[in-house]
Amino acid sequence: MNGHRMSGHNDLLVTGAAVHGGESADVLVRDGRVVAVGPDATGAATETDLERVDADGLVLLPGFVDLHTHLREPGREDAETVRSGSAAAAAGGFTAVLAMANTSPVTDTGEAAEHVLDLGVAAGLADVRPVGAVTKGLEGAELAELGMMHRSRARVRVFSDDGRCVHDARVMRRALEYVRAFDGVVSQHAQDPALAGPGACCHEGEVSGRLGLTGWPAVAESSIIARDAELALHTGSRVHIAHVSTAEGVEAVRWAKRRGARITAEVTPHHLLLTTDLLGSYDPVFKVNPPLRPQEDVDALREALVDGTIDAVATDHAPHARHDKEHAFPDAAFGMLGLETAFSVVHDVMIASGRMDWALLTERMSTAPARIAGLAEHGQHIRPGSPANLVLVDPRAEVTVDPGASLSLSRNTPFAGRTLTGRVRTTILNGRITVADGEVRP
Ligand SMILES: NC(=O)N[C@@H](CC(=O)O)C(=O)O
Ligand SMILES: [Zn+2]
Ligand SMILES: [Zn+2]
């Protein structure tokens, strides 16, 4: 809001954008809202106090919403802060991000959640919403203060022990029962720890045998999804499956939806594009949890994202300091950057290839994640009265990913040097430009 005033403009007029990928129109934004779309927009603008954004050839969409971001603050401000992560989010076209609870200290109390919320407001570059831990200290034993986190100013609705699976069925059942009262949701890192040996660090299959690494079998993912679907049916609560990575996992979600379970699922951009083939290099930049999978899984994930078995794209942006990645593959940290490249990857893999249209991309990157997280100010259809949380993208521009240009404090992108079609140009948060062409607006 301050920035809005400081910029000196009351009105923002976006001209010639293909709204929702359709007809091109002018869009007038004032006081954080869209006030006019179409021929009226120009006439309604205040000529004296107007910023124009020429959007010829660009597509205007509701801002993206990320259900799964690691911002590392508090605790690992060397890898990312709420400020740097919000800048990366804005550069990637995101207007809202859910900040995972595996910080230090863990977000497992009302105060901890409010702290993250306040850091997000102070940064002012994205709507940062804390995810609450399911269990105290992510230890999997005792429920965290779920009700207190929900009743806090942060209004936490999404809970996750991400990084660790809530493997105890009794704990998962209690958590689901608890969040039902306020329509909360548990986001599960579906991976049965009992099914992977200690030191697992890649996909279990031909690749783990060949490289001599310990792997996670697909059944570690699908068996937890099936169990949690049963618990969701039993409790009547909502469960969300984080970063689905296998064809078996997709099949379990499909089965659960058919049975009427209140289940949603997400896939990451990296699991939609990258495969185990990259592991031959033993480069830890490709080490992630869940691991990269073979092409058959990638194909199943793409299909599931189209047919709705998978509801949303979520980045699992997981920044790591250089010294945590510079190890032999088995010892390096798990995780990849994702916020700044998400749109380009999804556009390249799903739209440029003809698998998806703009309406479906909007649903998967904006509308569905906003709905799952209960964020009413995001993912709204662009029309007079809707919140001005928006993104302008250029479907024709190519991006060659340069880790050095990232606004994240970390550099661990698996897409370095890749050329992708589709680029984020301008992100608008609450009526104010946050990032234009990769530069943060002061
Ligand atoms: N995705 C990862 O490989 N790592 C995440 C944790 C997680 O999402 O499980 C992290 O916090 O670094
Ligand atoms: Zn996870
Ligand atoms: Zn994660």
Side-chain angles (χ1 to χ4, degrees):
M1 287 299 175
N2 270 335
H4 182 84
R5 227 171 290 126
M6 274 164 6
S7 74
H9 297 288
N10 280 324
D11 286 5
L12 191 64
L13 184 65
V14 178
T15 60
V19 180
H20 290 290
E23 296 283 288
S24 67
D26 297 348
V27 175
L28 180 65
V29 167
R30 179 178 294 155
D31 297 330
R33 299 257 142 199
V34 170
V35 292
V37 178
D40 312 340
T42 316
T46 324
E47 272 312 323
T48 49
D49 211 3
L50 177 71
E51 174 164 17
R52 282 171 181 277
V53 178
D54 176 8
D56 230 13
L58 307 185
V59 173
L60 183 68
L61 303 172
F64 305 135
V65 174
D66 192 10
L67 286 170
H68 191 151
T69 309
H70 296 273
L71 294 179
R72 306 298 189 213
E73 187 177 5
R76 287 306 303 267
E77 291 84 350
D78 56 326
E80 198 78 289
T81 62
V82 171
R83 165 94 199 170
S84 65
S86 307
F94 291 89
T95 51
V97 297
L98 278 90
M100 278 296 175
N102 65 340
T103 47
S104 179
V106 170
T107 310
D108 57 5
T109 64
E111 297 77 58
E114 288 182 351
H115 180 58
V116 173
L117 180 80
D118 292 342
L119 289 170
V121 171
L125 294 170
D127 197 348
V128 175
R129 302 299 180 106
V131 171
V134 176
T135 65
K136 285 187 181 154
L138 309 177
E139 278 167 12
E142 225 184 305
L143 286 191
E145 293 179 3
L146 309 183
M148 302 280 258
M149 287 190 268
H150 178 69
R151 288 190 298 274
S152 76
R153 283 186 287 110
R155 306 299 302 166
V156 177
R157 238 178 224 274
V158 182
F159 297 88
S160 183
D161 276 3
D162 184 50
R164 303 195 189 167
C165 179
V166 181
H167 58 91
D168 184 321
R170 194 180 56 91
V171 172
M172 189 64 177
R173 175 190 176 179
R174 291 282 172 252
L176 287 169
E177 281 170 349
Y178 203 101
V179 301
R180 201 168 77 117
F182 47 85
D183 196 31
V185 59
V186 177
S187 171
Q188 174 68 294
H189 175 113
Q191 188 176 62
D192 189 336
L195 287 175
C201 62
C202 76
H203 170 72
E204 182 184 299
E206 184 270 324
V207 65
S208 54
R210 182 160 43 85
L211 301 180
L213 299 170
T214 311
W216 281 284
V219 67
E221 178 171 285
S222 56
S223 59
I224 292 289
I225 297 174
R227 182 201 75 178
D228 287 355
E230 290 289 352
L231 290 172
L233 281 163
H234 178 76
T235 58
S237 299
R238 289 200 290 143
V239 67
H240 176 77
I241 308 299
H243 44 46
V244 175
S245 66
T246 62
E248 290 85 343
V250 164
E251 213 37 70
V253 174
R254 197 171 275 138
W255 163 83
K257 286 191 167 183
R258 231 175 11 237
R259 297 191 63 206
R262 300 176 73 199
I263 188 169
T264 52
E266 70 188 34
V267 63
T268 70
H270 50 268
H271 288 112
L272 287 171
L273 178 61
L274 308 179
T275 68
T276 48
D277 286 352
L278 292 162
L279 300 192
S281 64
Y282 289 96
D283 185 339
V285 81
F286 300 118
K287 182 175 174 182
V288 68
N289 187 3
L292 299 180
R293 306 287 189 180
Q295 187 64 44
E296 306 86 81
D297 293 300
V298 171
D299 292 340
L301 293 167
R302 292 173 177 180
E303 193 187 307
L305 191 63
V306 171
D307 74 22
T309 303
I310 294 178
D311 303 80
V313 172
T315 69
D316 195 10
H317 178 81
H320 285 292
R322 202 177 290 276
H323 60 268
D324 291 324
K325 273 290 192 187
E326 278 180 351
H327 292 283
F329 196 89
D331 307 318
F334 290 101
M336 305 175 158
L337 298 187
L339 286 167
E340 290 160 290
T341 46
F343 168 75
S344 299
V345 171
V346 174
H347 180 272
D348 196 276
V349 172
M350 303 304 292
I351 290 207
S353 64
R355 292 185 174 92
M356 229 183 207
D357 61 12
W358 290 106
L360 199 53
L361 179 132
T362 304
E363 171 67 21
R364 301 284 183 255
M365 292 193 70
S366 181
T367 317
R371 190 170 56 232
I372 290 165
L375 302 179
E377 294 294 292
H378 298 269
Q380 296 291 320
H381 194 85
I382 302 164
R383 66 166 93 79
S386 61
N389 291 317
L390 305 165
V391 61
L392 273 171
V393 298
D394 186 341
R396 276 177 289 272
E398 290 193 332
V399 182
T400 301
V401 179
D402 171 11
S406 176
L407 298 179
S408 168
L409 295 182
S410 295
R411 292 290 171 263
N412 54 308
T413 173
F415 304 112
R418 262 180 207 264
T419 299
L420 301 161
T421 309
R423 180 182 205 121
V424 173
R425 286 286 180 210
T426 308
T427 308
I428 298 168
L429 174 70
N430 211 355
R432 189 173 62 82
I433 294 175
T434 48
V435 164
D437 286 316
E439 300 276 342
V440 176
R441 282 284 190 101

